[in-house]
């Protein structure tokens, strides 16, 4: 991704040519080549998923339901807080670009890449897949709601563009680019399993699919970054870049942290805690970048927060698993016994009275 960003800054021409290619139209909605590439990644995620394990989530639906709710609602809360802080920024245009970019990020479902990072840190593969599928299937509802909220928190042309994008994203964009490819991938994978006699060959991603996903992700990163990074090179604005990186880092880290804390409150095991943490902090940045580049082309600075968040969430995802041990749980205190029973317990343990404050057991008690 870093290489794609550098190439977009120094050689944006080919990327802009790719962005101008349209696969066709369905009614008044144009389907750009970038949307088709995104659909390939989502299809591959469904193809390699182990959907037969999903019914097990219904036995304990709490982590699944809360994970989907965190992904859908928490970014809206953080966006509202960011809108209050952005009021004091010296450039209204930069503040509106930041809010619009964060709104596009927050409205997206859980990134399919969350399953890869979660499995790499021994997270629950079943819960990871359920969180990705659950948030994706709800995206025709959650994407428009998130974009409309972003429209209410922004002003002028930014608000109008977000409201217009919400109408498109809520109807055909999410269905054709996210939901339908995911379902087709699941059905294709299930059919392949049946043809093999019920022996599932899934569980690890085949090398060819890995190569295709890598090529598509790098291409999307390059094409999405061309317009925004060219402006950064031509007219550098250090204070705006610092604001973008700081806001994206804060939103991303708080999302990861909330997932981890809630996993502790639910008393999840480590595997579930890892899956819930990654799903809370990783949004589908490729979809938000495609939406920004195709639906809000007259405000290229909106892409900067999306690109920053996309890179930062992968950096955090690559390191946060090392710090996830057992979730933070409320301390379990020993029962309070009456004085007589306490003395009897001490005597039975060979201690004729209270434990001395200087004994080794005092600190542990």
């Amino acid at each position: 991704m870093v290489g794609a960003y550098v190439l977009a800054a120094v050689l944006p021409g080919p990327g802009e040519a790719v962005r101008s290619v349209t696969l066709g139209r369905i009614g008044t909605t144009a389907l750009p080549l970038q949307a088709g590439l995104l659909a390939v990644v989502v299809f591959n995620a469904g193809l390699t998923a182990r959907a037969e394990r999903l019914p097990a989530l219904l036995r304990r639906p709490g982590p699944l339901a809360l994970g989907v709710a965190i992904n859908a609602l928490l970014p809206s809360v953080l966006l509202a807080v960011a809108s209050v802080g952005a009021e004091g920024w010296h450039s209204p245009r930069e503040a509106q670009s930041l809010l619009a970019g964060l709104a596009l990020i927050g409205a997206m479902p859980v990134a399919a890449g969350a399953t890869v990072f979660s499995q790499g840190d021994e997270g629950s593969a079943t819960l990871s897949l359920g969180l990705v599928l659950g948030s994706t299937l709800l995206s025709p509802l959650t994407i428009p709601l998130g974009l409309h909220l972003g429209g209410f928190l922004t002003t002028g042309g930014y608000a109008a563009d977000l409201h217009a994008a919400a109408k498109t994203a809520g109807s055909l964009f999410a269905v054709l680019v996210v939901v339908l490819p995911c379902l087709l991938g699941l059905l294709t994978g299930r059919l392949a399993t049946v043809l093999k006699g019920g022996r599932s060959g899934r569980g690890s991603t085949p090398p060819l699919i890995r190569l295709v996903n890598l090529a598509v992700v790098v291409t999307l990163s390059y094409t999405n970054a061309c317009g925004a990074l060219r402006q950064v090179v031509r007219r550098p604005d250090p204070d705006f870049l610092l604001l973008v990186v700081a806001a994206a880092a804060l939103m991303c880290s708080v999302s990861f942290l909330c997932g981890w804390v809630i996993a502790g409150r639910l008393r999840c095991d480590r595997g579930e805690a890892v899956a819930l943490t990654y799903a809370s902090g990783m949004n589908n940045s490729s979809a938000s970048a495609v939406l920004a580049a195709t639906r809000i082309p007259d405000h290229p600075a909106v892409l900067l927060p999306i690109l920053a968040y996309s890179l930062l969430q992968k950096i955090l995802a690559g390191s946060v698993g090392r710090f996830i041990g057992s979730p933070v749980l409320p301390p379990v205190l020993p029962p309070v016994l009456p004085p007589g029973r306490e003395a009897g317990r001490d005597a039975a343990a060979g201690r004729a009275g209270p434990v001395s404050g200087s004994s080794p057991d005092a600190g542990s008690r």
Side-chain angles (χ1 to χ4, degrees):
M1 287 189 64
V2 173
Y5 286 1
V6 172
L7 185 63
V10 299
L11 187 63
E16 293 178 342
V18 172
R19 287 171 57 176
S20 64
V21 177
T22 301
L23 297 177
R25 285 184 173 272
I26 299 180
T28 58
T29 302
L31 290 179
L33 177 60
Q34 292 169 293
L37 293 175
L38 179 61
V40 171
V41 175
V42 178
F43 174 84
N44 288 338
L47 181 65
T48 57
R50 304 201 58 181
E52 66 273 9
R53 296 183 178 180
L54 291 177
L57 295 176
L58 299 179
R59 301 171 190 167
R60 189 167 175 257
L64 175 63
L66 276 179
V68 173
I70 292 171
N71 177 264
L73 301 177
L74 180 61
S76 299
V77 176
L78 297 177
L79 181 63
V81 175
S83 66
V84 176
E87 291 180 357
W89 191 251
H90 64 85
S91 173
R93 180 185 58 82
E94 293 178 352
Q96 296 300 309
S97 297
L98 173 65
L99 293 177
L102 294 180
L104 287 166
I105 277 284
M108 294 300 124
V110 178
T115 60
V116 179
F117 284 99
S118 177
Q119 292 174 11
D121 283 317
E122 299 179 352
S124 171
T126 303
L127 180 57
S128 295
L129 176 61
L131 290 168
V132 172
L133 290 181
S135 62
T136 300
L137 293 176
L138 287 176
S139 60
L141 297 176
T142 56
I143 291 177
L145 289 176
L147 294 180
H148 278 307
L149 177 62
F152 292 133
L153 294 175
T154 54
T155 59
Y158 296 90
D161 287 341
L162 287 175
H163 287 305
K167 297 177 182 179
T168 303
S171 55
L172 289 178
F173 185 85
V175 174
L176 295 178
V177 180
V178 180
V179 177
L180 186 59
C182 182
L183 294 178
L184 287 177
L186 287 171
L187 291 175
T188 304
R190 188 60 182 168
L191 179 61
T193 300
V194 172
L195 293 177
K196 292 179 181 178
R199 292 177 289 105
S200 175
R202 292 173 289 175
S204 60
T205 306
L208 179 60
I209 293 182
R210 288 186 185 181
L211 182 61
V212 171
N213 285 341
L214 176 62
V216 171
V217 169
V218 172
T219 302
L220 283 173
S221 299
Y222 167 64
T223 56
N224 291 332
C226 284
L229 293 186
R230 183 177 61 175
Q231 283 196 348
V232 171
V233 173
R234 289 181 176 180
R235 294 191 298 268
D237 192 348
D239 61 339
F240 179 53
L241 290 177
L242 182 61
L243 174 68
V244 165
V245 173
L250 184 61
M251 181 175 177
C252 188
S253 58
V254 170
S255 299
F256 274 107
L257 181 61
C258 285
W260 177 60
V261 171
I262 290 178
R265 294 301 178 182
L266 291 176
R267 295 183 177 273
C268 297
D269 58 32
R270 186 185 182 278
E272 292 178 335
V274 170
L276 193 57
T277 301
Y278 281 130
S280 301
M282 299 192 70
N283 290 61
N284 196 329
S285 57
S286 296
S288 58
V290 170
L291 196 60
T294 57
R295 297 293 180 263
I296 316 179
D298 51 338
H299 300 297
V302 170
L303 274 168
L304 287 179
I306 299 174
L307 299 176
Y309 193 98
S310 178
L311 186 60
L312 288 170
Q313 74 175 356
K314 292 176 176 62
I315 293 175
L316 286 176
S319 57
V320 72
R322 305 172 187 174
F323 304 99
I324 299 179
S326 298
V328 176
L329 301 177
V332 180
L333 300 177
V336 179
L337 300 177
R341 293 183 63 185
E342 180 73 21
R345 187 182 67 176
D346 290 339
R351 298 189 296 271
V355 178
S356 171
S358 60
S359 69
D361 294 335
S364 63
R365 295 184 62 197

